[in-house]
Amino acid sequence: LMVALGYPGEIQEDLAVRWFWWKLAMVPFCYVVLMLMVGLNEATSKQPSPAASRLVSAARYVTVVSWCTYPFVYIIKNVGLSGPTATMYEQIGYSLADVMAKAVFGVLIWAIASEKSAVEESGKLLPH
């Protein structure tokens, strides 16, 4: 939904239209970020070990931080940059966000799985 709402503005040259679609796309974006920050607190606290809880919490924060870069990259063309310069800054911004969102998050997912496996193998799983 965020992409569907943001794309019409992304392909516009008219700044008013770009801002309109950016604002619309921010509605579902803010909901997702809110759920990551607040809605997953309970799930984080139910992890089988304190280490797993910390890793899940770190994954949530990495996701939020990386996601929060996208709206700022989107508005690069709204703040006066254009042409190849704007495209370059967009590519750098999206690339940095993607590395954080995918590579760093992937390592955290591996660490979470590893920690949960270690807890399971030790027989110390918390009762549900």
Side-chain angles (χ1 to χ4, degrees):
L1 187 57
M2 293 176 291
V3 174
L5 290 171
Y7 184 72
E10 185 69 33
I11 61 174
Q12 296 295 317
E13 295 295 324
D14 183 342
L15 288 181
V17 175
R18 285 182 63 82
W19 281 115
F20 171 79
W21 288 105
W22 181 84
K23 289 174 189 172
L24 283 179
M26 289 303 293
V27 173
F29 174 85
C30 289
Y31 176 76
V32 169
V33 169
L34 178 67
M35 289 300 103
L36 281 169
M37 294 303 297
V38 178
L40 291 178
N41 276 336
E42 186 177 343
T44 302
S45 67
K46 290 182 177 180
Q47 295 303 311
S49 73
S53 290
R54 285 191 301 276
L55 287 165
V56 169
S57 184
R60 287 173 45 211
Y61 289 116
V62 165
T63 302
V64 168
V65 168
S66 68
W67 271 46
C68 284
T69 60
Y70 290 102
F72 293 105
V73 173
Y74 181 96
I75 65 172
I76 284 174
K77 291 179 182 170
N78 295 27
V79 296
L81 293 174
S82 62
T85 302
T87 302
M88 177 190 67
Y89 282 119
E90 283 179 334
Q91 292 304 310
I92 290 169
Y94 286 137
S95 295
L96 291 173
D98 285 347
V99 166
M100 188 184 326
K102 291 162 183 77
V104 174
F105 187 76
V107 169
L108 282 169
I109 293 299
W110 171 83
I112 291 166
S114 178
E115 173 61 21
K116 286 183 172 185
S117 293
V119 170
E120 184 176 3
E121 289 171 4
S122 73
K124 295 180 183 176
L125 281 178
L126 298 174
H128 293 300

